[in-house]
């Protein structure tokens, strides 16, 4: 199973970008999204930005991640 985490691009340096993931900052690879710009949201997997995502979707996804991390989610299984 693969999980993607939304992140906001803060800074771009060659083939890497500084991103914000729910308040934590880290550098990730951007070779799969060479067109990425500062303030774009990307979906991360294994230290790489895999795709650029819509801001509304990113913010909704971040809220869901917060619920999961806080233990406030309901399983549909």
């Amino acid at each position: 199973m693969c999980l993607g985490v939304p992140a906001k691009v803060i800074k771009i340096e060659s083939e890497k970008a500084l991103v914000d993931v729910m308040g934590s900052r880290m550098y990730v690879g951007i070779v799969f999204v060479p067109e990425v710009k500062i303030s774009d949201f990307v979906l991360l997997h294994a230290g790489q930005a895999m795709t650029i995502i819509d801001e509304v979707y990113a913010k909704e996804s971040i809220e869901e991640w917060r619920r999961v991390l806080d233990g406030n989610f309901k399983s549909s299984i």
Side-chain angles (χ1 to χ4, degrees), residues 7 10 14 28 35 56 75:
I10 306 298
S14 186
V28 299
E35 70 279 15
V56 172
S75 174

Side-chain angles (χ1 to χ4, degrees), residues 7-10 19 35-42 52-53:
K8 186 173 184 175
V9 176
I10 306 298
V19 297
E35 70 279 15
V36 73
K37 300 181 295 291
I38 293 172
S39 295
D40 280 349
F41 283 86
V42 293
I52 298 169
I53 58 175

Side-chain angles (χ1 to χ4, degrees), residues 39-75:
S39 295
D40 280 349
F41 283 86
V42 293
L43 198 59
L44 302 181
H45 174 68
Q48 296 292 319
M50 302 306 289
T51 189
I52 298 169
I53 58 175
D54 176 78
E55 182 175 356
V56 172
Y57 172 78
K59 290 182 177 181
E60 290 172 353
S61 183
I62 289 167
E63 286 306 311
E64 289 300 318
W65 274 105
R66 288 190 195 286
R67 282 188 196 80
V68 169
L69 295 172
D70 291 342
N72 297 325
F73 67 97
K74 294 181 182 178
S75 174

